[in-house]
Every structure is written in C-alpha cells, then in structure tokens.
Amino acid sequence: MADLKNLKNVSAQDRKMIEEAETMLGPEPEDMGFVKNMFWGRVREELVFPYPTCSTEETARCDQLLAELDEYMRNEHPSIQIDQEQEIPRWVIDRLFQMGILGMTIPKEFGGLGLGITSYNRILEHIGRFCGSTAVLVSAHQSIGCKAIMLYGTEEQKKRWLPKLAGEWLSAFCLSEPNVGCDAGGQETHCELSEDGSHYILNGEKKWATSGALSGIFTVMAKQRLKDPKSGKESERVTALVCTPDMEGVDIFQKNRSKCGIRGTWQARIRFTNVKVPKENLLHQEGRGLNVALSCLNFGRCTLSAGMLGSAVRSMDQAIKWAQTRYQFQRPLSDFELVKKPIAHMAAMTYAMDAVLYMTTGMLDRHDEDIMLETAACKVFCSEFGWRVVNDAVQIMGGESYMTENEVERAFRDSRINIIVEGANEVMQSFIFAYGGKQLAEQMLGIQGALGWNENESFGANVGRFLKSATNSTIMSRAVPLAAQVFMGVKPALPRVTKIHGSLSARADRYAELVRELSHQFKLASKRHQEAIITRQAVQARLSDAAVMLYAMVCTLSKLDRQIRAGEDGVEFERDRAAAEHFFDLADLSIRQYFRELTENADDTMLRAAEAALKHNDTLPNSDFVIPERSPIASGTGRTPNQDAIKQFPGDAHAHANATGDA
C-alpha cells in the first residue's frame, strides 16, 4: 500500500505535518472500525446491531446511584452559586467523593465503584442537566486525570495512587501549553533522565489544567530526546510523567481565569522548574506519552458529550413547557408552526445525541480496538447539535431565557465551550476525513502509482510499469472498479443492513445508499483535487460532516430498533419514534447537501474574501488588539486587557507576595 507522505507536489510543511500525525497516532489498527468502513462503502452492522446494553446488575447499581445523585442535585447542589462565585465549594467535592461519583470508574479493589463507561456517562449526563461546571470537574478527574493511571499504570502505581483518587484527591491532566493547543504533539515542556537514572528533570509550563490548583496529582506530558535502539537515530517523543504539587519546582502561579461559561471550574497555569520526578513515576513507556493522552481523550470526548446531552435535554424540556404555557395573541406559543419547528428539531437532535453517545460508550465498554473516529464523531455531533438545541431553547423562551434565575442562560454559556475543547470541531473534521479515508486513499495512491503516467520517468519506464501492473491480478482487481467509479460513475453494489426490524427497512436502505455515496464522493473528490485535497479543509469538512451524520443515523436506527423489539409503547415511545423519524429526514437532507456542495459551493469567493480580510487586517495596529502570548511573529505587541473589574485567581505563593507587597 502506498504512503500519503510520498504524494508529489506536497509542500515540505504539509509532508512534515503528515509524518508527525502518523508518529503521534501510531500504526493503524488491523481491524478497521465502523466509521472507517463507511469510507469504503461498507457497513459492519455487527458493530452497531443490536444496540449495546449493560448487564442487569450494572444497570441496577447505576440506577441506585442515579437516584441518590438526583436527590442531591435537586435539593442541595448550589448550581447558581457556583456559577456566580466562580468556584465549586470543597463541601460539594467531598459530597461527590462520599457518594462515589468521583471514583465510580476506579476498580473496587482500589476503593472505587468499578462501574463501566456507559454507567459513568449516564451519571455525567444527569449532572449536566443541572450544572455544567460540576460535570466538567467530574469528567476531567476521571476521564483524563486518573484515567491515565487506570489504563497505563503499573500495579504498584495503581495501589499507590488510585485509592486516594477514589476518595480524596482530585487529579489534573497537563497537556495544553501557552503555545500548544490542538497540536498535541508540539509540546514545549521537556524532560530528561538524570545521569544516575533515578529521576527525570522536568521543565516547562502548562495551561488549562482543569482542577490543577485543587489536585493532589498531575499527569504531565513532556518531550524527551530518545535514541532509536535499532537505527541509533535520536528524536523527540512525548513521555507521560506523574507529578504531585508538593514537588520542589512546581509552581501553580495562576489557579484560574474568569471566563464566559463553566465558571465554577478552575483551569490552572503550572510552571515546572527543574522538577525532579522519580523514575517510578513514569507512565507507560518513554516516548509513548501521546498514546496515553489520546487514549484518555477517547473517554473525555464521550463524557463531554454526556454533559452536553444532559444540558440539552433539560433546556429542551424547559423550552417546551414554556411554549405550552406562554400565551401570545390568545394562543400558546406551541400552536405556531415556527415554534413547532425548533421543538421538533430539539426532540430529533437529543434523541440522536443519546443514540450516538451510548452506542459509542458501548463500544468502549466492550474494548473495540479501532475507536478513535467513533469518539471523535460522538464529540463533534453532540457538541455541535447540543449547542444548537440550547440555542433553540433560548429562542423559544425569548427574553426570559436571558434571566439568570431561569438557568437556560447558564446552559447557553456553558455549552459553547464544548465545540472548542477536547479537540476543536474544525480539527476533528480534518481528523475524521484524514483517518477515515487514509487507508482507502493510500490504496488509490498505490493504483495511481502502478498505472498512472509519471512525468519523471522515461516513456519506456512508464510502459514497462504499465505492462507489469496489468498482469498483476491484485492491482487490476482494485483498479478496474475504481476506474469505473471515478471515470464512468459506475457505483458498486449497495451495502446491506439486515439486522434491522422490518418496519425500519426502508430507512436502513436509505442509510445504505448514503454510505455508498460517501465512498463514491470521497473517491471523486480525491481525483478532482489530487494532492491539493490535503489542504482543502472545506472539502474535507463536507465529507467528514457527512460521515458524522451517517454515524448518527445508524446509531439512531439501532436504538429505535431496540425499542421496537422491546415492545415499548406509550407517549414517551411515540415521542421517541417521531423524533427519530424526523432526525432521519433531517440527516438525509443534510448529507445530500454536503455532497452537492462538493461541486456547487462558494469556496473560490470564500478564499478571496478571506485573503482580502487578512490583508486589510494587516493594516490595523497590533496595539489595538489582544495577541497570543507566545505568537512567533507578534508576541508582546498587542494591547494589555484591562482586568481591574475582573476577579483574579493567583497562585497561593503569588497571592501572599501581593498581599505583603513583595511583588
């Protein structure tokens, strides 16, 4: 199979980016997951049918915990206070530890509840209905904080740290930096092994470490220069180390910054200066830190989605109740078609979000090997459409939605961050496109290399290669159908969805048709744009969005299939069925629109307008604007924001220094 790095006419910068991404993500799993198969025009229905469920015993345990949590969230939890005062009180954290919420996924032998990922997300969803800040705190602790130790810690490390993390300590995950956001492989924090091999020396700075100022333990990602034992070549790879705040040289110089939403969460800035980290605090292996980080993010993307789902469902229920009881022109708002439209949209999207989330957690619970695209699709879908649901609720409630005591405005502010964190959705779009179609693109590249004309070869060399390839049955068995598709529009046979209830077969056939079209359009776009597709992110996003929506469609089909087979009925089931059917139609329309826009779009004028706006902005003085603190071209040239009226959260040492006038 060919390698995308070897594409001709690819800039050195883009080639380096591909190489770094491949190094960061590691080798492709041999068994392709569900989303990757869709790019090939295939439906691996055994991965999504029947809809995953938990054991009766686990469900009962989770239901019991949910009942206790619901009583607490409704009657004790200070959601508005947390938002207004920008802090989650310690008694709330202690209460969550006491209920077992903050240790629910930690195995029982280490003091936790030992619940699975689906149960964990059910709990996060319920917290998200009431308080986005608390949902983030719980998620950051278990999905990315202590998850690294659970997945990659040695038995000694687990015995040493997990009991504390199950009942007393919060944990923090230190990945982002002032100059490192979505580029997780670009760490500037460094570590090196001491000469005697007893410890690592850690230097650098981390940013956005949720609960960092409250935590008893940090998982820190740092670059380390390592030598390949086979080639002897040195390179920098990311290593994961476990640190504690009491280590000499650890400075939490800022506990938090005041922000728009999830205001009760604290994101610390931490500086590491010659910190001596014991060798036994190494997680996994040297140079394998990004495997640790990316594995943890699979879980974090689901819990983010769960919190978003809870917020969206509660906002929807509130908005619908408002529409039924708020009268204008002697009629309830719910009588008007332009109010029914967002009500239907909210119902459709929350049903699909639920279907996507718990399909994906089911895959995590059964330890599917190739899961990164499914968790990315879950995050993109739930964050984007959850945000839109909350926005619908705000619109329906009108001016009252802006009032603090009605709590929808807090959901509105809390929800917006989800489109940015755990991988900005634009980054996820390119990621889903690149790794969804990578193996297919490499096969196409291999065929092109075997049968395409190479201007750098002589006439005789080209002819010789053609003749050799033409007698290779493997190459020709792939090349002929591909040529028929991209040159003559001949599509392969439809994939089949057979494990579906008969009443849903027509919907399943429409889904299968769209899966085939995704693969067809991917091939056409690859032919149309050739090497340029690597940088044509608007094109990538359309195919990625189609794949995300197709994943949501099949999850929704599977969930509804389970409900029908279980014999569900009543008004709740009728709502679910109508919501699912509306989602099928909305998704179908959206996917076909994505495909149309591959050839009918405003990309040319978009690019010209963007370039003109960029050129004009260059004439505006930097001093009028906020500039990234570590900008490689403009650091220190921007304006300093006035923070006189903004609450500050300095680190303890700095707070003391300021109080005594020493700094």
Side-chain angles (χ1 to χ4, degrees):
M1 187 176 286
D3 193 321
L4 290 177
K5 296 191 297 295
N6 297 327
L7 278 171
K8 298 174 185 176
N9 304 319
V10 174
S11 70
Q13 186 179 25
D14 288 328
R15 196 180 306 278
K16 184 173 185 293
M17 182 178 69
I18 295 171
E19 290 173 353
E20 288 179 347
E22 290 180 347
T23 299
M24 182 173 73
L25 292 167
E28 292 274 324
E30 291 185 10
D31 191 27
M32 285 195 297
F34 188 84
V35 172
K36 285 181 183 173
N37 270 279
M38 288 198 304
F39 277 88
W40 288 77
R42 302 191 292 246
V43 178
R44 285 193 63 188
E45 56 181 334
E46 76 278 5
L47 295 179
V48 292
F49 292 100
Y51 195 80
T53 57
C54 293
S55 69
T56 303
E57 185 270 337
E58 166 117 351
T59 301
R61 290 179 61 213
C62 185
D63 287 346
Q64 184 176 359
L65 184 58
L66 274 170
E68 183 181 0
L69 174 65
D70 183 69
E71 179 73 18
Y72 163 74
M73 296 300 296
R74 290 182 186 278
N75 300 313
E76 297 180 50
H77 191 72
S79 301
I80 295 177
Q81 176 190 330
I82 286 170
D83 181 65
Q84 295 289 303
E85 297 183 3
Q86 304 183 62
E87 181 176 0
I88 298 174
R90 182 67 211 193
W91 71 262
V92 169
I93 296 170
D94 291 340
R95 187 80 168 85
L96 294 170
F97 271 123
Q98 179 265 320
M99 282 189 284
I101 299 293
L102 284 167
M104 67 182 121
T105 61
I106 294 174
K108 290 181 180 179
E109 61 263 37
F110 301 115
L113 298 183
L115 289 171
I117 304 305
T118 295
S119 296
Y120 171 39
N121 279 268
R122 289 181 65 199
I123 297 293
L124 260 296
E125 178 193 343
H126 201 72
I127 295 173
R129 291 177 184 239
F130 297 91
C131 184
S133 290
T134 304
V136 170
L137 178 136
V138 174
S139 173
H141 171 61
Q142 288 187 91
S143 298
I144 56 177
C146 62
K147 195 69 181 181
I149 298 168
M150 291 171 59
L151 290 174
Y152 293 100
T154 64
E155 281 304 305
E156 190 280 328
Q157 288 173 334
K158 291 176 183 178
K159 290 175 183 176
R160 180 179 167 195
W161 292 317
L162 289 183
K164 287 284 190 182
L165 294 170
E168 183 180 347
W169 290 353
L170 288 176
S171 56
F173 193 71
C174 298
L175 177 64
S176 298
E177 300 181 4
N179 211 30
V180 177
C182 293
D183 180 12
Q187 304 293 304
E188 295 178 350
T189 296
H190 276 78
C191 69
E192 59 180 282
L193 193 62
S194 62
E195 289 186 8
D196 63 5
S198 65
H199 61 272
Y200 296 92
I201 302 169
L202 178 66
N203 285 280
E205 183 181 318
K206 294 295 181 177
K207 188 177 183 182
W208 311 125
T210 297
S211 302
L214 309 171
S215 296
I217 201 167
F218 314 136
T219 302
V220 183
M221 301 296 151
K223 278 280 182 71
Q224 181 182 7
R225 181 161 287 280
L226 297 167
K227 182 179 290 187
D228 188 316
K230 294 181 179 178
S231 66
K233 183 181 178 182
E234 282 195 343
S235 63
E236 287 194 327
R237 303 290 296 274
V238 177
T239 292
L241 301 173
V242 175
C243 301
T244 54
D246 58 350
M247 290 177 174
E248 186 176 352
V250 175
D251 179 14
I252 303 173
F253 65 94
Q254 189 176 55
K255 294 180 179 179
N256 186 30
R257 288 167 67 191
S258 188
K259 50 192 172 291
C260 170
I262 57 168
R263 286 161 60 86
T265 62
W266 283 14
Q267 285 75 35
R269 294 189 69 163
I270 308 172
R271 188 176 292 120
F272 302 93
T273 306
N274 294 324
V275 179
K276 294 181 179 179
V277 182
K279 180 72 181 291
E280 56 267 27
N281 284 28
L282 169 68
L283 265 185
H284 199 25
Q285 301 170 20
E286 291 183 334
R288 300 297 300 276
L290 276 175
N291 298 79
V292 175
L294 295 170
S295 296
C296 291
L297 288 174
N298 284 333
F299 297 89
R301 286 171 182 152
C302 286
T303 48
L304 177 151
S305 301
M308 182 69 262
L309 173 60
S311 180
V313 168
R314 191 166 192 225
S315 298
M316 173 187 71
D317 289 343
Q318 171 61 67
I320 293 174
K321 186 63 71 176
W322 186 270
Q324 291 179 301
T325 56
R326 166 68 166 163
Y327 274 62
Q328 289 286 276
F329 309 105
Q330 295 80 49
R331 298 163 63 188
L333 295 181
S334 57
D335 268 8
F336 296 95
E337 191 168 284
L338 286 182
V339 176
K340 289 180 177 179
K341 182 179 179 181
I343 288 173
H345 180 262
M346 291 189 295
M349 292 306 165
T350 52
Y351 184 92
M353 287 168 65
D354 185 284
V356 168
L357 171 62
Y358 293 112
M359 175 67 77
T360 310
T361 62
M363 292 175 174
L364 285 167
D365 273 330
R366 70 187 185 214
H367 307 293
D368 284 14
E369 181 188 11
D370 192 10
I371 194 72
M372 290 183 73
L373 292 186
E374 287 71 19
T375 59
C378 178
K379 187 271 175 179
V380 170
F381 184 82
C382 291
S383 63
E384 178 64 42
F385 290 100
W387 156 253
R388 295 189 195 183
V389 166
V390 176
N391 191 53
D392 284 338
V394 168
Q395 190 68 21
I396 288 171
M397 289 185 66
E400 280 293 336
S401 69
Y402 248 50
M403 299 302 107
T404 301
E405 70 269 19
N406 291 330
E407 302 190 55
V408 175
E409 65 88 25
R410 188 177 75 247
F412 182 79
R413 288 185 287 106
D414 288 349
S415 298
R416 186 59 182 83
I417 192 65
N418 293 328
I419 301 172
I420 300 169
V421 295
E422 303 284 6
N425 282 8
E426 292 80 6
V427 175
M428 291 293 96
Q429 286 172 316
S430 290
F431 170 68
I432 291 167
F433 167 83
Y435 273 81
K438 180 175 182 289
Q439 288 159 307
L440 175 57
E442 287 177 338
Q443 185 185 98
M444 293 173 65
L445 182 62
I447 293 170
Q448 181 181 357
L451 296 169
W453 185 268
N454 188 336
E455 294 179 354
N456 296 321
E457 291 183 357
S458 67
F459 178 83
N462 273 295
V463 171
R465 179 166 42 80
F466 295 161
L467 293 174
K468 181 179 179 182
S469 298
T471 59
N472 186 312
S473 59
T474 301
I475 292 175
M476 295 309 295
S477 66
R478 295 170 178 172
V480 171
L482 177 63
Q485 282 195 62
V486 298
F487 293 109
M488 295 182 286
V490 178
K491 300 176 186 178
L494 276 173
R496 295 293 306 278
V497 179
T498 61
K499 302 176 183 293
I500 193 80
H501 190 272
S503 64
L504 298 174
S505 58
R507 298 283 187 183
D509 289 345
R510 285 173 63 186
Y511 163 75
E513 177 192 337
L514 291 168
V515 169
R516 178 174 67 175
E517 193 65 23
L518 171 68
S519 184
H520 183 61
Q521 292 295 335
F522 178 89
K523 293 165 188 170
L524 291 179
S526 298
K527 173 182 176 292
R528 185 181 304 120
H529 297 285
Q530 299 290 321
E531 294 89 344
I533 201 167
I534 289 175
T535 58
R536 293 303 308 275
Q537 291 183 326
V539 176
Q540 296 173 16
R542 293 175 186 119
L543 289 162
S544 174
D545 287 345
V548 169
M549 197 64 82
L550 282 166
Y551 181 57
M553 281 185 81
V554 78
C555 293
T556 300
L557 271 171
S558 183
K559 179 185 173 184
L560 185 57
D561 173 78
R562 184 189 69 181
Q563 289 179 285
I564 292 171
R565 292 179 189 277
E568 293 187 21
D569 56 16
V571 293
E572 184 174 353
F573 172 69
E574 290 305 321
R575 178 205 64 183
D576 287 352
R577 182 163 63 182
E581 290 175 348
H582 186 46
F583 175 73
F584 294 145
D585 285 346
L586 291 175
D588 188 299
L589 289 168
S590 294
I591 293 165
R592 294 181 192 278
Q593 179 66 17
Y594 297 144
F595 292 155
R596 279 195 298 274
E597 289 179 359
L598 289 169
T599 53
E600 301 173 17
N601 56 63
D603 288 358
D604 291 343
T605 53
M606 175 272 288
L607 291 169
R608 288 200 297 272
E611 289 300 324
L614 290 164
K615 187 174 182 179
H616 171 262
N617 192 266
D618 270 344
T619 69
L620 306 179
N622 287 359
S623 57
D624 286 350
F625 303 95
V626 176
I627 299 294
E629 60 183 296
R630 298 287 176 87
S631 169
I633 60 168
S635 181
T637 65
R639 73 175 178 87
T640 301
N642 185 337
Q643 300 194 58
D644 291 345
I646 299 174
K647 185 176 180 179
Q648 300 299 305
F649 302 82
D652 290 333
H654 297 265
H656 175 72
N658 290 335
T660 58
D662 295 331

